[in-house]
Every structure is written in structure tokens, then in C-alpha cells.
Amino acid sequence: MRKLHVDLGKNSYDIIFDRGLISRVGEYVGRDGKKLFVMTDDNVGAIYADRVVSSLEKAGYEVSLCVLPHGEKTKSFDVLPAVYARLLQEKITRKDALVALGGGVIGDLCGFVAATYLRGVGFIQIPTSLLAQVDSSIGGKVAVDLPEGKNLVGAFWQPETVLIDVDVLGTLSDAFFTDGMAEVIKYGCIKDKKLFDTLAACGGKKGLVPVLDDVIYRCCDIKRGVVEKDEKDKGERMLLNFGHTYGHALEKYYGFEKLSHGNAVAIGMYVITSLAEKRGLTAKGTADEIARVCAMYGLPDSDPAPESEVVKGIANDKKNLGDKLVTVLLKEIGDSYLYPTTAEFFV
Ligand code: GLY
């Protein structure tokens, strides 16, 4: 068992790493409240809900289970009333807590419900995808989607604990694993050349498996450090958006359906770094290095979408209004900085 402590004053918590933990989660949940409300989706729930619920019951909790359909649509604002109704029906009080058992969709939704139900109740993250383990379960960004776009209603609401079991990634499809790898590579790019070199030396998923626990732990540690410095995303935390500006515009171009987040971020990291190299803002050869390592993990560096159309999406993005756009650039692999500019940067 390994542990990281996220030091956020009264909102501090531990991230606990232990293989096989999914069957023993009850041992790690030390709460006074009697009731736990577990939220999951039909895919993850079919494999893990029984063992999680029985472990929590064995530890003395009264557990209710809420299984939602898998997929991004479940993170919709419209899903909320039914979930709040279930919480009321189960008589969940402020002393009780929610448990997010799933990937980013369930984690974000459950966290948002926890942040808003009865003006806020505790929640525990049990992330089951690579992306959720290294990124979305840590740092308290919780949200739901509006028809106008993703994550438009949300909060900063830190979990009480994050429980990470690397074993559960064994049941993840290759496509989902690849998707999470974009964020793993991103951490190497922005903060840790040694991590980036390890990913390159592993050569792909097969080579990575023996060191996966250390790699996930390192990513979480990087995120811990960034979130501790800037919980509310006003400076340092924006570095985590490396590759996300172009990537997000690309996802939007495809209506958030055709292209996965990881693929979009991989392309975004390559595009912004190529542009920065041309302007003398990044060491020559960096974009090719990123493309080389992304390719090892099945991630692309380009897409047939017309760049001019994608860039229009950047200019129209609500986050980039007022002509201002803070991009994340690399000096070189492992060393990132914020670069205030405008959407013109991408033209
Ligand atoms: N996923 C980016 C962040 O947590 O800030």
C-alpha cells in the first residue's frame, strides 16, 4: 500500500494505492456517518458493484446503489433531479457520503451531486479508468454538461479520499487505456522529463505494464503538487491544460462524439508544440518527440479536420472570450510555462 497526502488545509485528503483494494474498500473508509450512496455505471457496476457494496457493508455501512447508463450523456444536467430524488428517498443526510465508482463521467457527476445536495456532503472517489486514476479523480473539479457544452456547471469540491486499484485497469478496453495515456504523456511533457523518457523506453503498453504502478503514482504526485499550489485553477493548475485548447476545439468540431478526449489531447499537444517551435518558443524537435511517444501508445498527432474550422472553435469558446487565451507551452520536454496570447496563435 502506498499513500499520497494532498495538503489543502481543511480540504486535505489521502490518495491510497493498493492492488486488489476494490474488494477491500470498506477497510479504507473510516467515517462516522452510517450511510453510503454508491454511484456507478452499468459497465463498471456489472463487474465491481457487488464486491464494493459487500466490502462496505462488511465494514458496517448501510449502502445504497445507483447504477446509471455508461457514457457522457449521463453527465447531463438533466440527470440530476432523479439522482437527488434517490438521495432523498434513501434519506441520505449531511453526515453520510457518496461514493463514485467509475471513470471520469461518474466521478465528475457524483462529485457535483455531492457538492450540491444539502449544500454539500462528503464523497469518495474509486476511479476505474486510467484517465480517472491519473487525473479527474484528484483535485476536486466536479461538473455536469449543459446542451451548450461540457463541464459548464460545476464546482471545486474535494473528495474525502481517493482509492486507486491498478488491478481494475485489467478490465479496461485498449481504447480506454490509450485514451488515458494522453494524460500520462502530458504529465511527462509539462513536469517530468524522466517520466517522459520512461514512457519512451517502455515503447508501448506491453513494456509499460511492469512499471504501471510507479507511473500512475508519479502522475498523481505531479497532480497533487500542482493542485496544492493552485486549487482554484488561477495559475499553475492551468499547466494541466497542455494540449487541451486545440484538443477541446477538435472534440467540439466532432460534436464530442467521434474523437476521444485522449486522441484530441495528443493531437493538441503536437499542434501547439509545432507552432511554438516555429515561433522559437520551444526547443526544436520537441513536437516530433511528443508524436513519437504518442504513437507508441496508439495516439495520433494529426486529424483530417480542417484546421481553420477547428481554430474558429477556439475563438468562439466561452473560455477564450475577450481576445485573451492563455496557452501552455513547453520550453522543452519536462518544462512548461503559461503563454498569454490570442486565438490568432493557432493561425
Ligand atoms: N484536469 C485538469 C485539472 O484538474 O485541472
Side-chain angles (χ1 to χ4, degrees):
M1 197 264 272
R2 278 199 279 192
K3 205 195 265 192
L4 282 169
H5 184 68
V6 186
D7 187 358
L8 294 170
K10 64 179 176 40
N11 295 329
S12 298
Y13 53 96
D14 287 336
I15 307 169
I16 292 166
F17 305 80
D18 205 2
R19 282 201 180 240
L21 156 165
I22 199 88
S23 305
R24 294 182 270 108
V25 289
E27 294 169 25
Y28 298 95
V29 180
R31 309 195 78 256
D32 292 337
K34 262 196 350 227
K35 292 186 184 181
L36 292 170
F37 185 87
V38 178
M39 292 176 70
T40 191
D41 69 35
D42 48 358
N43 281 345
V44 174
I47 314 174
Y48 297 115
D50 280 355
R51 61 187 99 170
V52 167
V53 170
S54 76
S55 167
L56 293 171
E57 284 176 344
K58 209 169 136 204
Y61 298 101
E62 259 175 52
V63 186
S64 12
L65 179 67
C66 171
V67 183
L68 296 161
H70 64 275
E72 185 72 28
K73 284 200 172 72
T74 285
K75 225 180 96 176
S76 150
F77 187 82
D78 300 336
V79 169
L80 292 171
V83 178
Y84 295 133
R86 264 298 301 281
L87 286 162
L88 290 167
Q89 195 189 328
E90 302 291 346
K91 299 192 170 30
I92 302 293
T93 70
R94 271 207 194 136
K95 282 199 210 124
D96 304 317
L98 275 51
V99 178
L101 172 67
V105 165
I106 287 294
D108 285 10
L109 171 72
C110 179
F112 184 78
V113 171
T116 48
Y117 177 69
L118 303 181
R119 297 199 178 90
V121 297
F123 87 114
I124 292 153
Q125 286 271 22
I126 309 178
T128 58
S129 70
L130 180 57
L131 189 140
Q133 292 194 346
V134 297
D135 182 22
S136 59
S137 66
I138 304 160
K141 273 192 185 174
V142 297
V144 291
D145 303 337
L146 292 180
E148 290 86 348
K150 280 171 76 170
N151 297 329
L152 290 177
V153 182
F156 290 96
W157 190 252
Q158 301 294 339
E160 289 181 352
T161 317
V162 182
L163 301 176
I164 296 184
D165 181 352
V166 177
D167 272 351
V168 303
L169 302 183
T171 51
L172 205 62
S173 71
D174 277 349
F176 271 104
F177 190 87
T178 298
D179 211 36
M181 279 310 296
E183 300 291 346
V184 173
I185 295 167
K186 178 197 78 180
Y187 284 115
C189 289
I190 61 167
K191 286 279 179 193
D192 189 346
K193 173 147 171 29
K194 201 169 144 219
L195 171 63
F196 188 90
D197 290 345
T198 300
L199 301 175
C202 289
K205 184 177 173 182
K206 201 163 162 243
L208 184 71
V209 167
V211 292
L212 190 56
D213 295 68
D214 289 341
V215 165
I216 290 174
Y217 182 88
R218 179 65 192 131
C219 293
C220 292
D221 199 20
I222 294 172
K223 179 134 190 194
R224 174 202 58 75
V226 169
V227 170
E228 281 179 356
K229 280 195 197 130
D230 176 26
E231 184 185 354
K232 297 286 165 69
D233 204 12
K234 297 201 162 92
E236 173 91 0
R237 189 164 178 169
M238 290 159 86
L239 295 175
L240 298 174
N241 290 337
F242 176 56
H244 283 58
T245 304
Y246 192 86
H248 185 78
L250 206 49
E251 282 183 90
K252 200 165 150 191
Y253 175 82
Y254 285 117
F256 294 101
E257 267 167 25
K258 195 187 146 221
L259 193 71
S260 76
H261 180 69
N263 280 18
V265 167
I267 296 164
M269 292 193 290
Y270 179 75
V271 167
I272 187 105
T273 306
S274 304
L275 290 167
E277 270 184 44
K278 282 190 196 126
R279 290 163 170 76
L281 297 163
T282 295
K284 287 259 179 273
T286 308
D288 282 348
E289 265 300 275
I290 294 173
R292 191 173 72 88
V293 175
C294 281
M296 289 174 176
Y297 293 93
L299 289 160
D301 58 50
S302 62
D303 183 88
E307 252 175 57
S308 56
E309 287 303 307
V310 179
V311 171
K312 270 189 211 156
I314 295 174
N316 294 335
D317 192 324
K318 285 186 200 64
K319 274 200 270 182
N320 310 328
L321 288 182
D323 276 352
K324 281 203 199 119
L325 173 66
V326 179
T327 56
V328 183
L329 304 184
L330 305 185
K331 282 187 193 145
E332 57 189 7
I333 298 290
D335 190 359
S336 53
Y337 63 107
L338 297 177
Y339 183 77
T341 179
T342 66
E344 296 292 305
F345 187 88
F346 289 89
V347 180

